[in-house]
Amino acid sequence: TALLYLPIVFIYALFLAKKVNYLKFLFLSFISPIFITCFFFLSAFYAKQFITIDQTFLLYYPKHFPELKNLIYSPWGYGGSNTGPGQMSFQIGIMHLLILVAAIIFVRKKPALFFLILSAVTFFMMVDVSKPVWDIFIPIQYLQFPWRLLSIMALTTSFLTATLLTILFKFIPKKAGIFISMIIILGLLFFNRNHWRANEYYELPDYWFKDVPYHSTTTVDGEHTPKWQLEDRSQETSRFELISGDGSVKNTLWKTNYHVFEINAKSESEMLDRTVYFPGWTIFLDGTELDRIDQNDPKTHGLIGVRIPPGEHLVEIKLMEPLLNKIADSISLVTLALAILLLIKTSIKIKKI
């Protein structure tokens, strides 16, 4: 949502900007929220390099452009993101299209022109002729489906409807304007009446659930799976395994971010913690930080591997916050504190006035 709408809001604000002071205020209004949310998006950008999202999300959009006729009209179906009978509806809406046509004819003012232009750009970006633009502009590929831009059409047509009614009220009596407004609302309800309820119920057969592998991930394509996890071994019965050497292992504590093992190794051994490795997981052997087995080593299957010398040892495996995440947290906290102080200072000034 932020990827889609933040640029739109920012461009719209620039579109309306007239004074230098306004631009300064605009700059602060957008920069401060970015800094406050730094704890999330900076960490997400950092983590993206380790997961397979680019190999999955970026392959979706070429196959999911709605056909032009489906944007104009397509009945509601129960299929997936495909075109044709029985598939999901991609239509913009009959009333919405009528509003757009009326806006093209009557709208001339600057704020409304922005939404008219945005509607045209959005319409273009939803059809397959825009594929070269999608190919070049990589960030938008993370939307997965071009038809997700339909939400922008809902926004633009709402503003354009308000603009048209404002123009209309200048030339006709108030009661007539209210009557036309009611006609528009009733038209919206009528043309979308089949979307108010489930038209039918479809029971999926058992094989549909059995054939879909949801193992160590909650997504079908596993786009959040680390790149080094070539085989799913995290869901096997035991939480740990000695993959080489001889000895005994006892798991004394298992929390989401903290695992403790008591190990008696009779020889040089290697243990596998059945947790998919991700940057931040750190191993301690008898209180001393220990290098792990490289997660790209085929014998680890992308899980956490530990080399253990002979003898009795206490192995702790902790999920610790990376340095970049700590920096991002600090930026967010400092910015939030400054924003609160600025708000308090402004409130005091207003009260004095």
Side-chain angles (χ1 to χ4, degrees), residues 8-207:
I8 292 173
V9 174
F10 186 74
I11 294 170
Y12 179 62
L14 286 176
F15 197 76
L16 299 178
K18 295 179 180 179
K19 299 178 180 179
V20 175
N21 288 337
Y22 180 86
L23 290 174
K24 290 180 180 178
F25 174 76
L26 176 64
F27 179 77
L28 289 173
S29 298
F30 277 88
I31 291 300
S32 56
I34 289 174
F35 280 5
I36 290 173
T37 57
C38 202
F39 74 95
F40 170 75
F41 75 81
L42 195 58
S43 301
F45 285 142
Y46 169 71
K48 188 175 77 70
Q49 63 184 306
F50 304 121
I51 59 178
T52 59
I53 190 169
D54 289 345
Q55 286 76 46
T56 53
F57 269 35
L58 305 191
L59 300 177
Y60 273 92
Y61 74 92
K63 304 174 184 178
H64 295 276
F65 286 103
E67 294 180 15
L68 180 60
K69 63 180 182 181
N70 295 122
L71 288 173
I72 298 172
Y73 175 74
S74 53
W76 191 262
Y78 293 85
S81 175
N82 299 294
T83 57
Q87 302 302 322
M88 63 184 292
S89 175
F90 301 110
Q91 74 175 32
I92 294 171
I94 303 300
M95 285 301 298
H96 297 77
L97 290 173
L98 291 175
I99 291 295
L100 287 173
V101 171
I104 292 171
I105 297 171
F106 297 107
V107 168
R108 295 293 180 269
K109 289 190 176 182
K110 189 176 179 180
L113 278 175
F114 171 82
F115 290 102
L116 191 57
I117 294 169
L118 181 59
S119 298
V121 172
T122 303
F123 194 95
F124 168 76
M125 291 298 292
M126 284 192 292
V127 292
D128 57 2
V129 293
S130 68
K131 186 178 178 298
V133 180
W134 284 79
D135 293 341
I136 296 170
F137 190 52
I138 294 176
I140 201 173
Q141 295 175 12
Y142 289 99
L143 290 175
Q144 290 183 277
F145 308 108
W147 49 260
R148 279 183 169 162
L149 297 173
L150 282 167
S151 63
I152 295 179
M153 299 298 285
L155 171 71
T156 58
T157 50
S158 298
F159 274 88
L160 291 173
T161 301
T163 301
L164 288 170
L165 289 175
T166 301
I167 295 171
L168 192 63
F169 270 77
K170 292 180 180 179
F171 298 100
I172 63 174
K174 184 177 180 180
K175 289 184 178 180
I178 293 174
F179 176 76
I180 293 174
S181 301
M182 293 302 298
I183 292 295
I184 293 173
I185 294 171
L186 289 173
L188 283 169
L189 296 175
F190 175 78
F191 287 117
N192 292 282
R193 65 191 185 280
N194 291 328
H195 297 170
W196 296 358
R197 56 183 173 78
N199 293 323
E200 62 177 303
Y201 293 92
Y202 178 67
E203 293 186 7
L204 294 170
D206 290 342
Y207 71 80

Side-chain angles (χ1 to χ4, degrees), residues 328-341:
D329 293 344
S330 300
I331 293 172
S332 294
L333 286 172
V334 171
T335 308
L336 181 60
L338 290 174
I340 293 172
L341 289 173

